[in-house]
Amino acid sequence: MADQIRLLPDHIANQIAAGEVIQRPGSAVKELLENAVDAGATRIELLIEDAGKQLIQVTDNGKGMSELDARMAFERHATSKITSIDDLFRIKTMGFRGEALASIAAVAQVILKTKRPEDSAGTLIEIENSEVVKQEPVASPDGTSIAMKNLFFNVPARRNFLKSNASEMRHILDEFTRVSMANPHLFFSLTANGERQFHLDPGTMKQRIIQLLGNQYQTKLVNVEESTDYLQIAGFIGKPETAKKTRGDQFLFVNNRFIKSPYLHHAISTAFKELIPADSHPAYALFLTLDPAQIDINVHPTKQEIKFEDEKIIYAFVQAAVKHGLAQFNIAPSLDFELHAGIQQLDAVSKPVTEQQKAAASSSSLYQSFTDKYAAHKIDPSSRGKLTNWQSFFETAQMQNHPSSTASSLPLSETLMNSESSHALPTTFLQVFATFIVADFGEMLRLFHQQYAHETILYHQLKKTFRSGKSIAQQSLFPITLHLSPADSTLLTELLPDLQPLGYLIESFGNNSFIVRGTPPDISDENISGDIEWLLEQFKHYQPEVSLPREEKLIRALARQRSIKAGQLLSAEELQFMVTELMQCESYRTTPGGQPTFIDIRKEELFSRFGLRR
Ligand code: ADP
Ligand code: MG
């Protein structure tokens, strides 16, 4: 038999390697923007067509490349940024592996124009499938412009894998936001489909954060700045009242590179503890600087994770710095430490606040106003307010679906009567652990989970409402304005058409603002912004499920968001309502997500456990 092992042709090997670096348009945007920053540019312009699927172009006024360098830049492991292995440990941005341009050239049609200030002419290079198809001198301004067209044109499987334009655009916005936030002294612009979306004049870090996250942060940012021999932290945190239920306004940079660290997020969130509701996320844009040798660079640079040599110190430091920032602005109880004295003192930081300090702080009017403000939003488990609301929502929805039925008598449909248990539906229900509903079904005892049951009910109701196409919105007396982060705002824009049949009349107002003109009858206007944030958060939860249509995800998210949660006490009528309503649903055994809504314990089983026969 002939030998079977063959070497992959270069262009295929390149395509495979490219998959690691360039996963979607957003990854290319990140690499190109970072290269422009590295090239010392002061003006960086990003041009996008068709969410990057057609065109991603970055133009900078940086140092440019010589003719030879321009050609070399597209070779794998070609980089001007590392000359020895030691450099790897000194490099601050961790982004240098000389792979980005090679990867881009493997999966797109690339046109590079570049000129160094000292050269009289520039260089034009066109590459396709990793092969140079054109190279010639060209008149060009100083700097570099790289256009990549038809991303994944030669890798259909990957191209098909790309998500909707709105979703890919969101990734692009995320990357643009991160790079431009880390470089406030540079000019950035973003133009998508001919429309200028961002025009960021150079300024201070605070100005840049406000440009990116919105004017609502104007008076709501608190400075954080601490420095030790070992590490520094600088940046801003949002005052507690800016905390939102959705994530998005959390930015952590290490050596000026955006990273995701659930561990440090926890450090920051817990510093806010008791100042914000438990399910909210504080806004922050924090920059850590430390010796690159303290960072494990083996973690892949395109993944945004990071490993620190000494995680615990960094955790304590970040948390202390945030607490200190809050304390300095009289937002949180003042702590008895002086951070500037050095990291050694961190022990003192983690000590709990004394009772005395707590008392002093909680009597301060500022603290009072926080807690009072949020107390209004807290859902009192014994309060039935919400429940009454959802009942009236059903009634409205039902009247629309069955105009003849009256709101007070809930019709038990045929399906129910013919359902698997021929036994008449039970009439007494018992709530246990404020979570389960027990009912006697004749041959078995059925244990419902109140939240899953309700989620399922709502899901089917919402689906009907959605299908009917008749909006159930109630006009708001006073339209409410919402301000969202660019990413959330893109997401909401994407959802607007589907939200309308579900009762939300929301209009985009530009600049990441929205006007809410109407809401479903069961939703009070008063907390609409928290409501929308929560909805977006729930929606993101379903985001990875590519196979689900968007409206399905939305309906699931809404159902989950509005469901009665475990822990809420229910009245006898409510218990009955929950069970009967659930059993009328088309598929009532599981939530749309597949959680069982109830479990059965057979009568026989119960008897036999007592050693009885029946
Ligand atoms: P890396 O950034 O890791 O070095 P890249 O593949 O991103 O690898 O880029 C390869 C090389 O091309 C860089 O090291 C740099 O010398 C050059 N280069 C890339 N983009 C630019 C740019 N916008 N301006 C000047 N030089 C650039
Ligand atoms: Mg690079």
Side-chain angles (χ1 to χ4, degrees):
M1 228 171 133
D3 294 336
Q4 299 197 347
I5 296 182
R6 260 169 297 156
L7 278 175
L8 286 173
D10 264 0
H11 72 276
I12 295 191
N14 279 342
Q15 274 178 16
I16 294 171
E20 243 190 277
V21 186
I22 308 298
Q23 284 144 353
R24 49 164 28 106
S27 3
V29 165
K30 165 173 178 287
E31 295 294 340
L32 294 176
L33 291 176
E34 283 182 349
N35 279 350
V37 172
D38 292 343
T42 56
R43 283 185 70 85
I44 301 174
E45 292 170 271
L46 172 62
L47 214 69
I48 300 290
E49 295 287 337
D50 195 21
K53 295 171 185 174
Q54 252 185 54
L55 174 74
I56 297 170
Q57 179 166 12
V58 173
T59 306
D60 69 53
N61 65 350
K63 65 181 186 209
M65 287 177 258
S66 70
E67 193 187 340
L68 183 64
D69 280 351
R71 181 71 184 72
M72 281 287 290
F74 292 98
E75 298 292 332
R76 189 156 300 280
H77 307 303
T79 174
S80 55
K81 299 166 193 169
I82 301 177
T83 49
S84 77
I85 190 76
D86 288 346
D87 286 349
L88 270 180
F89 295 93
R90 259 182 266 124
I91 280 165
K92 291 228 167 126
T93 77
M94 304 177 295
F96 309 138
R97 290 160 54 119
E99 287 187 317
L101 289 189
S103 300
I104 287 170
V107 292
Q109 296 154 336
V110 179
I111 302 172
L112 163 78
K113 265 191 214 169
T114 187
K115 178 175 136 9
R116 299 185 299 181
E118 62 264 39
D119 296 336
S120 51
T123 304
L124 169 86
I125 293 186
E126 287 187 29
I127 299 202
E128 229 181 272
N129 253 335
S130 303
E131 268 172 42
V132 177
V133 294
K134 192 187 228 177
Q135 174 161 5
E136 60 191 33
V138 70
S140 153
D142 293 346
T144 303
S145 145
I146 299 186
M148 49 181 294
K149 296 183 174 171
N150 298 319
L151 179 61
F152 298 135
F153 77 102
N154 52 352
V155 202
R158 285 203 151 256
R159 191 166 175 98
N160 294 338
F161 188 72
L162 291 178
K163 305 245 176 75
S164 69
N165 279 7
S167 162
E168 294 300 346
M169 197 58 211
R170 220 171 322 119
H171 285 285
I172 291 176
L173 276 170
D174 282 346
E175 300 296 353
F176 177 83
T177 304
R178 292 162 186 173
V179 177
S180 57
M181 190 178 282
N183 297 284
H185 51 293
L186 309 181
F187 168 89
F188 284 88
S189 72
L190 165 57
T191 307
N193 301 325
E195 230 175 90
R196 180 57 72 94
Q197 298 209 343
F198 283 95
H199 175 108
L200 307 175
D201 284 320
T204 62
M205 187 192 292
K206 186 174 180 180
Q207 287 166 335
R208 180 56 55 90
I209 293 170
I210 292 164
Q211 285 171 325
L212 286 166
L213 301 187
N215 254 332
Q216 75 273 21
Y217 282 105
Q218 191 69 255
T219 55
K220 311 275 183 194
L221 293 177
V222 173
N223 188 217
V224 171
E225 200 153 3
E226 305 291 346
S227 173
T228 70
D229 292 345
Y230 180 72
L231 76 172
Q232 289 95 52
I233 190 169
F236 291 87
I237 50 181
K239 290 185 181 170
E241 68 256 39
T242 63
K244 290 185 191 165
K245 292 204 166 108
T246 83
R247 287 168 191 258
D249 293 350
Q250 287 79 38
F251 297 88
L252 185 62
F253 299 82
V254 172
N255 294 348
N256 231 34
R257 193 187 162 93
F258 177 83
I259 59 146
K260 278 188 182 145
S261 166
Y263 185 67
L264 294 182
H265 176 73
H266 187 264
I268 298 164
S269 297
T270 46
F272 273 85
K273 211 169 158 189
E274 284 165 16
L275 294 173
I276 61 176
D279 55 353
S280 293
H281 307 285
Y284 55 84
L286 293 171
F287 294 79
L288 275 176
T289 312
L290 72 165
D291 180 354
Q294 299 297 324
I295 303 166
D296 180 358
I297 58 155
N298 286 324
V299 177
H300 196 289
T302 62
K303 306 233 168 72
Q304 294 141 339
E305 287 129 33
I306 191 167
K307 274 223 175 82
F308 299 103
E309 283 296 312
D310 198 334
E311 286 200 311
K312 285 200 187 117
I313 289 187
I314 295 178
Y315 183 98
F317 177 78
V318 168
Q319 187 172 59
V322 172
K323 281 189 189 171
H324 200 203
L326 289 168
Q328 281 194 323
F329 285 79
N330 289 325
I331 291 168
S334 175
L335 301 165
D336 56 347
F337 69 93
E338 190 38 75
L339 244 177
H340 296 278
I343 198 92
Q344 292 83 345
Q345 307 219 333
L346 278 171
D347 259 352
V349 172
S350 49
K351 271 189 212 149
V353 186
T354 65
E355 281 311 312
Q356 222 179 346
Q357 286 169 323
K358 258 194 202 159
S362 54
S363 63
S364 84
S365 62
L366 196 60
Y367 182 86
Q368 209 70 51
S369 65
F370 284 134
T371 40
D372 286 350
K373 177 155 186 273
Y374 285 106
H377 293 273
K378 265 193 210 146
I379 298 164
D380 176 3
S382 63
S383 116
R384 303 276 158 67
K386 241 193 143 186
L387 200 56
T388 327
N389 281 341
W390 65 251
Q391 221 156 2
S392 67
F393 171 66
F394 283 159
E395 285 156 9
T396 330
Q398 273 185 343
M399 288 209 285
Q400 285 186 344
N401 293 319
H402 321 272
S404 59
S405 73
T406 63
S408 54
S409 76
L410 296 165
L412 289 187
S413 70
E414 305 300 307
T415 26
L416 180 59
M417 295 313 179
N418 304 333
S419 74
E420 28 73 82
S421 103
S422 52
H423 184 82
L425 261 187
T427 48
T428 45
F429 304 90
L430 181 66
Q431 188 184 26
V432 288
F433 308 136
T435 302
F436 301 106
I437 305 169
V438 186
D440 167 3
F441 268 69
E443 283 311 297
M444 67 219 171
L445 186 148
R446 188 161 275 189
L447 206 56
F448 294 86
H449 188 284
Q450 68 187 44
Q451 183 180 334
Y452 296 152
H454 192 216
E455 189 180 326
T456 309
I457 297 169
L458 286 174
Y459 169 78
H460 289 280
Q461 290 292 353
L462 286 164
K463 243 186 138 129
K464 263 189 214 160
T465 311
F466 186 85
R467 284 204 200 114
S468 81
K470 284 179 235 139
S471 183
I472 50 165
Q474 284 188 347
Q475 295 281 334
S476 306
L477 282 182
F478 306 101
I480 294 157
T481 314
L482 293 179
H483 300 283
L484 300 176
S485 67
D488 277 349
S489 131
T490 317
L491 177 60
L492 183 60
T493 309
E494 182 187 357
L495 295 177
L496 287 186
D498 288 340
L499 275 168
Q500 191 170 346
L502 293 168
Y504 291 89
L505 299 182
I506 304 178
E507 283 167 28
S508 172
F509 198 57
N511 245 334
N512 306 316
S513 301
F514 295 84
I515 294 195
V516 183
R517 300 203 183 276
T519 53
D522 58 326
I523 298 291
S524 75
D525 287 359
E526 171 195 341
N527 197 21
I528 184 71
S529 86
D531 208 71
I532 297 282
E533 286 170 13
W534 200 7
L535 173 65
L536 293 177
E537 186 69 353
Q538 292 292 343
F539 185 84
K540 287 178 201 164
H541 176 86
Y542 290 105
Q543 198 86 307
E545 311 234 358
V546 266
S547 55
L548 294 178
R550 189 180 56 203
E551 77 268 9
E552 173 73 18
K553 289 186 203 170
L554 183 63
I555 290 171
R556 286 189 187 190
L558 267 174
R560 176 185 282 210
Q561 179 208 342
R562 292 200 197 153
S563 59
I564 295 287
K565 303 299 181 289
Q568 179 151 347
L569 294 174
L570 305 177
S571 73
E573 303 86 74
E574 288 158 352
L575 292 172
Q576 168 160 27
F577 182 82
M578 197 80 103
V579 172
T580 50
E581 194 66 24
L582 175 73
M583 303 275 299
Q584 284 184 86
C585 291
E586 228 169 85
S587 54
Y588 61 89
R589 295 176 167 275
T590 63
T591 63
Q595 296 277 5
T597 50
F598 60 83
I599 56 165
D600 287 333
I601 302 170
R602 289 182 332 129
K603 194 175 181 180
E604 266 172 22
E605 149 106 19
L606 278 178
F607 274 82
S608 79
R609 290 187 68 171
F610 285 100
L612 302 171
R613 288 238 212 118
R614 56 180 198 106

